[in-house]
């Protein structure tokens, strides 16, 4: 079964050109399902039936997994079995009848201009960590990029002279302009703190952690939570909050919806248009 899952992940990477984070998520979901099947002596995922898959989803629900997590697991299973069908490894898709739970859409948290300013002021600019964190927060808030894109940025993705960065997600590139404040924060960080953080090692990672390796999404999530608490902001802030806040701010400033769609990397403009509801 591990071989089938790995073949599927290789297919996603080479044929579908999916992002690294997508591949990790699918792999994690499928291995979790596979472990459940074996623990219940139901065989491997290739032996799964509609009944055994429903038992797995019930197990997730009883484990207090969120509807979003259950829905993502269903999506992972469906995509996996479509691959197996395509490869003639199974005769029918046991996931065909699975129905995702209804997900209640929550209004995203949006920072006010005052809250955003407070958050951006929190990093201590007299330390290497503070200079790095200030540059990361300003970059995230002033561009609306995804946290996965932020932590995977390389030094060559930053064009200080032309005040822009290049983001690559799923094999697609988009160029995003930088504000003067963001350029200044990144420049100061690059000129001083980054060299000490990587400890003289060769690394293309723009924002390394203290071991010189790329920061994880979870690591940045904890970082932003800490700064939000320091700023006295009571909203449930996540890295995506800054993306939402950026988009709402650009809408208020009269940004063209198609231009904003390109900056955010939305496949469908209707996703971008939802920000009209939060201004």
């Amino acid at each position: 079964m591990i071989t089938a899952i790995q073949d599927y992940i290789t297919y996603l990477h080479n044929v579908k050109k999916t992002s690294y984070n997508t591949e990790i998520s699918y792999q994690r979901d499928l291995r979790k399902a596979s472990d459940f099947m074996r623990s219940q002596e139901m065989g491997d995922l290739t032996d799964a039936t509609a009944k055994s898959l429903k038992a797995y989803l019930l197990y997730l629900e009883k484990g207090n997994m969120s509807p979003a997590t259950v829905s993502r697991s269903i999506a992972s299973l469906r995509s996996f079995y479509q691959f197996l069908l395509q490869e003639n490894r199974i005769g029918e898709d046991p996931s065909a009848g699975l129905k995702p739970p209804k997900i209640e859409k929550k209004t995203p948290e949006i920072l006010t201009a005052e809250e955003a300013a407070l958050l951006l002021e929190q990093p201590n600019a007299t330390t290497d960590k503070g200079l790095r964190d200030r540059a990361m927060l300003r970059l995230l808030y002033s561009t609306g990029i995804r946290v996965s894109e932020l932590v995977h940025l390389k030094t060559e993705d930053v064009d200080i002279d032309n005040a822009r960065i290049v983001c690559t997600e799923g094999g697609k590139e988009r160029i995003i302009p930088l504000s003067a404040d963001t350029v200044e924060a990144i420049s100061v960080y690059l000129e001083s703190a980054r060299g000490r953080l990587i400890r003289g090692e060769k690394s293309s990672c723009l924002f390394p952690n203290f071991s010189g390796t790329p920061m994880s999404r979870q690591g940045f999530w904890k970082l932003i939570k800490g700064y939000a608490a320091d700023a006295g902001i009571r909203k449930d802030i996540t890295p995506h909050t800054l993306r939402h806040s950026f988009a709402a701010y650009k809408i208020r400033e009269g940004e063209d919806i198609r231009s904003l769609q390109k900056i955010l990397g939305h496949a469908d403009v209707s996703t971008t248009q939802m920000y009209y509801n939060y201004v």
Side-chain angles (χ1 to χ4, degrees):
M1 175 44 54
I2 297 300
T3 300
I5 293 175
Q6 191 54 55
D7 288 346
Y8 169 64
I9 299 302
T10 300
Y11 163 77
L12 290 179
H13 183 80
N14 293 337
V15 179
K16 293 295 187 179
K17 306 296 183 183
T18 50
S19 69
Y20 172 78
N21 289 324
T22 297
E23 292 162 15
I24 291 298
S25 294
Y26 274 105
Q27 188 173 56
R28 181 176 58 243
D29 289 344
L30 294 173
R31 286 188 173 176
K32 185 172 183 177
S34 178
D35 290 343
F36 171 81
M37 295 294 173
R38 286 199 301 271
S39 71
Q40 300 298 308
E41 298 183 352
M42 294 178 176
D44 287 324
L45 282 184
T46 50
D47 305 314
T49 62
K51 184 177 180 180
S52 62
L53 289 181
K54 287 179 181 178
Y56 173 61
L57 296 183
L58 183 61
Y59 160 75
L60 292 180
E61 291 170 358
K62 287 185 175 180
N64 293 321
M65 295 295 175
S66 69
T69 298
V70 176
S71 293
R72 192 195 65 213
S73 297
I74 291 174
S76 298
L77 289 167
R78 283 178 172 171
S79 181
F80 175 64
Y81 286 118
Q82 284 301 307
F83 165 74
L84 294 183
L85 274 175
Q86 182 179 308
E87 295 289 308
N88 295 316
R89 298 193 190 190
I90 57 175
E92 60 181 20
D93 180 1
S95 70
L98 298 180
K99 295 182 179 180
K102 290 184 178 180
I103 300 176
E104 180 182 350
K105 291 186 177 180
K106 296 181 179 179
T107 301
E109 294 277 20
I110 301 293
L111 295 180
T112 65
E114 293 76 16
E115 289 170 334
L118 266 175
L119 183 67
L120 298 179
E121 290 171 0
Q122 294 312 306
N124 181 354
T126 65
T127 67
D128 292 340
K129 177 181 181 298
L131 288 172
R132 180 202 66 188
D133 295 351
R134 183 180 68 165
M136 292 183 83
L137 288 175
R138 287 189 178 276
L139 180 56
L140 198 63
Y141 179 66
S142 68
T143 62
I145 62 174
R146 302 174 180 89
V147 66
S148 58
E149 295 171 327
L150 176 74
V151 298
H152 286 105
L153 281 174
K154 301 186 183 330
T155 52
E156 57 263 34
D157 295 328
V158 182
D159 184 349
I160 293 294
D161 293 337
N162 293 299
R164 63 187 187 181
I165 59 170
V166 177
C167 275
T168 304
E169 183 77 10
K172 297 180 180 179
E173 287 188 352
R174 67 186 195 281
I175 297 173
I176 304 172
L178 301 177
S179 67
D181 287 347
T182 304
V183 169
E184 193 247 346
I186 295 176
S187 296
V188 171
Y189 159 70
L190 288 175
E191 290 167 4
S192 55
R194 183 180 177 277
R196 290 189 288 270
L197 287 174
I198 63 175
R199 301 177 184 180
E201 297 292 329
K202 288 185 177 180
S203 171
S204 61
C205 172
L206 181 60
F207 296 118
N209 56 28
F210 286 109
S211 64
T213 56
M215 183 183 294
S216 67
R217 289 183 298 168
Q218 292 79 6
F220 186 74
W221 184 88
K222 291 179 181 178
L223 179 152
I224 201 171
K225 286 284 188 183
Y227 285 131
D230 293 342
I233 300 172
R234 300 190 175 218
K235 292 177 179 175
D236 184 21
I237 293 180
T238 69
H240 224 61
T241 303
L242 295 189
R243 179 171 166 85
H244 291 317
S245 300
F246 162 81
Y249 168 78
K250 298 300 280 186
I251 290 290
R252 283 196 297 268
E253 292 295 301
E255 181 77 31
D256 175 74
I257 194 68
R258 290 291 181 180
S259 297
L260 184 56
Q261 178 192 3
K262 289 181 180 179
I263 291 173
L264 294 172
H266 288 157
D268 193 324
V269 73
S270 64
T271 306
T272 316
Q273 288 172 331
M274 75 172 186
Y275 290 108
Y276 281 116
N277 298 322
Y278 310 115
V279 297

